[in-house]
Amino acid sequence: MNLANRITIARIFLVPIVMFFLLVHYNFGRVSLAGHVLTVNEIVAALIFVVAASTDGLDGYIARKRRIVTNFGKFLDPLADKLLISAVLISLVEMHRVEAWEAIVIISREFAVTGLRLVAAAEGTVIAASRMGKLKTVTQIVAVVALMMNNLPFAYVGIPVAAWIMYLAVLITVISGIDYFVKNRHVIGFGKT
């Protein structure tokens, strides 16, 4: 258990804390910004989410720099990302900030790619995150933070930037899922001669 893997595990442990602040019905206070109200819960949840999401790059950097990249880390890192994003998306559906179909598409893709990774692992192959997968993760994180912050600061001018970023995240999520399956079709028996 090296430092990079510990950071990844810490990200997993932050998931229920983010959900608590998003879904708890106790009002810790409100912040009004030019007529737009955010609860302290939402702000704290967004900050913890950003900290948790930022550890994704940190654990990978540490693993590469110290040359402590492990198969466990390659498997656990994307799983931690999926847990964090899925939990927050479900919470945002509950809060009526994300359409259920958007969450279902994203979570379904995550399950499908995780299944592909499990099949590959059973064959002794580790499928590491691709560039498209990393772009998907960044887009999802930006969309989720924008939605957690209730589209601020764009709500002031009435532009639904958070919703647009979410649509983009769904599109990139689908494309990256297809990309994983096309590039790793040999794992599931397609493309064999």
Side-chain angles (χ1 to χ4, degrees):
M1 184 59 64
N2 59 45
L3 177 61
N5 291 342
R6 287 184 181 142
I7 291 170
T8 303
I9 290 169
R11 183 160 70 253
I12 293 170
F13 282 114
L14 288 174
V15 170
I17 298 170
V18 172
M19 289 185 68
F20 170 80
F21 280 103
L22 279 179
L23 299 177
V24 70
H25 293 293
Y26 182 78
N27 184 2
F28 290 104
R30 297 182 181 279
V31 176
S32 181
L33 303 168
H36 296 279
V37 177
L38 279 177
T39 65
V40 171
N41 307 37
E42 292 167 331
I43 295 168
V44 170
L47 290 173
I48 295 170
F49 176 81
V50 168
V51 168
S54 66
T55 64
D56 181 31
L58 180 63
D59 58 8
Y61 173 78
I62 289 171
R64 287 186 298 277
K65 183 167 175 90
R66 295 187 179 183
R67 296 183 181 161
I68 52 174
V69 175
T70 63
N71 285 342
F72 177 73
K74 287 180 186 177
F75 176 76
L76 190 64
D77 182 58
L79 182 63
D81 298 337
K82 290 169 182 25
L83 288 171
L84 181 63
I85 290 292
S86 297
V88 173
L89 282 174
I90 292 167
S91 300
L92 290 170
V93 169
E94 171 73 16
M95 298 167 68
H96 305 287
R97 293 197 186 166
V98 170
E99 296 292 327
W101 72 266
E102 294 170 318
I104 290 167
V105 168
I106 289 173
I107 293 169
S108 297
R109 179 267 186 208
E110 303 303 355
F111 274 108
V113 171
T114 298
L116 178 65
R117 282 194 167 104
L118 290 173
V119 170
E123 295 180 5
T125 304
V126 174
I127 299 174
S130 69
R131 285 186 181 178
M132 182 63 79
K134 291 176 182 178
L135 175 63
K136 177 265 315 175
T137 300
V138 169
T139 309
Q140 287 177 356
I141 289 168
V142 171
V144 163
V145 170
L147 289 162
M148 290 170 84
M149 296 303 292
N150 213 6
N151 197 40
L152 287 176
F154 304 104
Y156 294 125
V157 291
I159 301 173
V161 171
W164 295 345
I165 298 171
M166 189 65 199
Y167 290 138
L168 179 63
V170 170
L171 178 64
I172 292 173
T173 297
V174 170
I175 292 169
S176 72
I178 293 168
D179 181 59
Y180 271 106
F181 277 89
V182 168
K183 288 181 178 172
N184 297 287
R185 62 188 174 274
H186 61 280
V187 171
I188 52 177
F190 293 119
K192 290 184 178 177
T193 55

